[in-house]
Each structure stands twice: as structure tokens, then as C-alpha cells.
């Protein structure tokens, strides 16, 4: 476990090899070995409902860079400690410097959005402002029934970042994005799901198990397929990136061969390609 930040100002906790996420490889005796392959980042700032301080924003890209190069990590889960995901930026730190703090949150958001492996936000309670910014940067969002979502700069007289606005519009469409941005109202999980901001809703007492099961499923899939799909879905379809993934697929021909063989043999595939 890696603990980052001083507890009195909030902290991020990263744990490797937690949950039930598993990747399958072939052991020396020809049998299957199971690797736990899920990393988890938990936002801790209990006194401020897990609000993010500037120092916490700064550490986010560094932590993600470290996890992205760990070949044992195949899936990343982002959650808040306790019954709140994240209340956004710590407002007490914005006096006299909202613009600088906003730059830090955008850097963290972009680092999360460009993380090359599947990312899953687990939302309990409030997911507001910068918290919603982080959740939207994840590939998927699973929520408890009590979750609430909101983007609240209009309550503070702050201009929401253009890059974050574009990401929100791509995710939920212009009408729903305008509703959240113009009103600064909080919406419940059901409405967030209708907008496309949430992928699954579960009772609070079963959410963690569903996340563990789904992370396990993601960890068994081809990283080659996942990494290419993430880029293409996010719009990176320029000639250079398409050619890159065509070369990767050609040089990793055994990846597809293993998938077909496993299907015909009715067994889980043992994909070997890693980032």
C-alpha cells in the first residue's frame, strides 16, 4: 500500500492487488495461475467529505503514472472513503487562487482519462464538482442508489474548464450537460443513469461485490483489445495511432489465436499481451 499526502490535509491511498480482479496466465506446470490484477485509489478527506486539496490534485498524475507502468495492474478502481465519493475541490483552498486550482484539477482529470487500462469509478453519496470531473474521466461509473451527481461552478462564479465541458458533452450530450452546468443542481443516480453519466446502479450493500466481480471480468480480457478500444472510443483515430495499433495486433498474433483457441476449447483465454 502506498499512502500519499499528510492526513490532516487529505490523502490518496493506492492499493495494488485488492478486490477479486484476476488475470489468468499459464503456470510452469501447464496449469492456470491466477493473478490479482486490480489497483484501487481511494480519496480520503473525511472532514471535508473527501474534497480534493491542491496537494491531492498534484499527486494524482504521479500516482497514475506509477500504476500505468505496473504490468501486474490490469484494472483501476477509483472510490471515495466512507459514504461519499468526492465533494469536489476543497473550497477553503480556492481563496485568491481558483484559476490555479482549476489547472491542477484538469491535469488530474486528463491523467485519469488517458490512463491506458480500464478505469471504473465507484460512487457512493455525493459526486460533486471536481469529483464529478474525476468520475467522468473514468471509462465506467457504477453507483449506489443513494449517489448524487452535480457540477456546481455556477454557485461559485467559476468558469468550468473547456476540456472538462467537452468531455461531459461527449458523455451525456449537450442538453444534459447544460442542465448540470447552468443549474448546478444535484441529480440522483436514476436520472444520472438516464443521462448516461452512470452505467449501473446497485444497492449499497451489494455494490462492492458487483464492482469486484466486474473488475475480475475486465482483468481477464485482452489488454491489447482494451487499450486500442479506449483510444478509438476517445477519438484518437488519426493515421499514426491507427497504424500503431495495426502493428501491435500484427506483432501479437498469438493474442487472437489464443482467444479463438480458448473459445473452441470452451475455456477462459490466457492472454499474454501487456502494456
Amino acid at each position: 500500500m502506498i499512502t500519499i499526502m499528510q492526513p490532516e490535509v487529505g490523502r490518496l491511498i493506492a492499493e495494488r492487488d485488492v478486490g477479486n480482479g484476476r488475470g489468468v496466465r499459464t503456470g510452469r506446470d501447464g496449469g492456470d495461475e491466477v493473478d490479482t490484477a486490480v489497483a484501487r485509489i481511494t480519496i480520503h478527506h473525511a472532514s471535508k467529505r473527501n474534497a480534493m486539496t491542491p496537494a491531492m490534485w498534484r499527486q494524482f498524475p504521479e500516482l497514475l503514472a506509477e500504476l500505468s507502468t505496473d504490468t501486474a495492474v490490469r484494472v483501476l478502481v477509483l472510490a471515495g472513503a466512507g459514504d461519499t465519493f468526492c465533494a469536489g475541490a476543497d473550497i477553503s483552498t480556492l481563496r485568491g487562487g481558483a484559476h490555479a486550482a482549476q489547472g491542477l484539477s484538469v491535469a488530474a482529470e486528463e491523467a485519469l482519462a488517458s490512463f491506458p487500462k480500464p478505469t471504473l469509478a465507484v460512487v457512493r453519496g455525493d459526486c460533486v464538482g471536481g469529483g464529478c470531473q474525476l468520475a467522468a474521466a473514468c471509462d465506467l461509473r457504477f453507483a449506489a442508489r443513494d449517489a448524487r451527481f452535480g457540477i456546481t461552478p455556477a454557485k461559485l462564479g467559476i468558469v468550468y474548464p473547456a476540456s472538462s465541458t467537452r468531455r461531459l458533452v461527449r458523455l451525456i450530450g449537450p442538453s444534459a450537460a447544460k442542465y448540470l452546468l447552468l443549474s448546478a443542481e444535484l441529480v440522483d443516480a436514476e436520472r444520472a443513469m438516464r443521462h448516461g453519466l452512470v452505467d449501473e446502479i446497485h444497492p449499497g450493500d451489494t455494490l462492492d461485490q458487483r464492482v469486484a466481480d466486474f473488475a475480475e471480468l475486465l482483468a481477464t480480457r485482452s489488454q491489447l483489445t482494451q487499450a486500442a478500444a479506449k483510444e478509438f472510443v476517445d477519438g484518437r483515430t488519426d493515421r499514426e495511432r491507427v497504424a500503431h495499433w495495426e502493428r501491435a495486433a500484427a506483432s501479437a498474433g498469438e493474442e487472437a489465436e489464443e482467444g479463438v483457441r480458448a473459445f473452441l476449447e470452451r475455456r477462459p483465454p490466457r492472454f499474454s499481451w501487456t502494456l
Side-chain angles (χ1 to χ4, degrees):
M1 180 182 294
I2 302 171
T3 302
I4 295 184
M5 309 297 301
Q6 297 178 358
E8 65 268 24
V9 293
R11 58 196 172 118
L12 303 177
I13 291 181
E15 300 170 283
R16 292 176 176 82
D17 299 336
V18 299
N20 293 329
R22 295 180 295 178
V24 182
R25 69 172 188 268
T26 302
R28 293 181 180 178
D29 61 356
D32 288 344
E33 294 180 356
V34 177
D35 295 331
T36 301
V38 180
R40 184 183 185 99
I41 295 178
T42 305
I43 303 168
H44 281 258
H45 197 179
S47 64
K48 296 291 183 72
R49 297 169 52 242
N50 293 334
M52 297 284 290
T53 65
M56 293 168 75
W57 288 122
R58 287 190 190 96
Q59 291 298 327
F60 223 103
E62 297 177 13
L63 188 54
L64 290 169
E66 181 180 345
L67 292 172
S68 70
T69 58
D70 186 341
T71 57
V73 173
R74 300 179 69 91
V75 180
L76 175 65
V77 172
L78 176 64
D83 58 3
T84 298
F85 180 74
C86 176
D90 183 346
I91 303 300
S92 67
T93 68
L94 301 184
R95 294 180 182 136
H99 181 73
Q102 192 174 78
L104 294 174
S105 70
V106 169
E109 174 192 1
E110 293 299 331
L112 183 56
S114 62
F115 191 78
K117 304 168 187 181
T119 55
L120 173 59
V122 184
V123 181
R124 296 177 182 275
D126 286 351
C127 177
V128 180
C132 204
Q133 197 174 342
L134 290 175
C138 289
D139 297 315
L140 299 165
R141 288 148 296 278
F142 287 8
R145 295 198 185 281
D146 69 345
R148 299 192 303 171
F149 297 80
I151 301 175
T152 55
K155 289 184 177 180
L156 301 171
I158 295 172
V159 175
Y160 199 58
S163 59
S164 305
T165 302
R166 287 194 297 270
R167 176 168 290 110
L168 183 68
V169 171
R170 288 198 303 268
L171 183 62
I172 67 175
S175 179
K178 285 180 179 179
Y179 181 91
L180 293 176
L181 288 166
L182 301 184
S183 71
E185 288 285 282
L186 301 187
V187 299
D188 62 20
E190 293 288 346
R191 180 162 184 169
M193 189 171 187
R194 291 197 299 272
H195 287 330
L197 189 55
V198 169
D199 296 288
E200 292 188 10
I201 300 172
H202 297 278
D205 59 352
T206 64
L207 178 61
D208 287 342
Q209 186 58 55
R210 171 56 181 158
V211 169
D213 291 344
F214 192 75
E216 175 180 348
L217 180 147
L218 291 175
T220 65
R221 301 311 196 216
S222 167
Q223 272 199 339
L224 174 63
T225 302
Q226 291 172 334
K230 277 175 61 96
E231 286 201 10
F232 293 164
V233 170
D234 289 341
R236 295 193 64 187
T237 56
D238 56 275
R239 184 178 301 177
E240 181 181 348
R241 293 312 296 169
V242 171
H244 167 81
W245 289 113
E246 288 176 346
R247 290 192 299 270
S251 63
E254 69 279 359
E255 193 85 344
E257 292 176 7
E258 167 58 18
V260 172
R261 188 182 306 114
F263 178 83
L264 294 174
E265 295 174 1
R266 298 184 179 181
R267 61 169 174 80
R270 297 183 286 269
F271 293 119
S272 58
W273 192 93
T274 58
L275 287 162

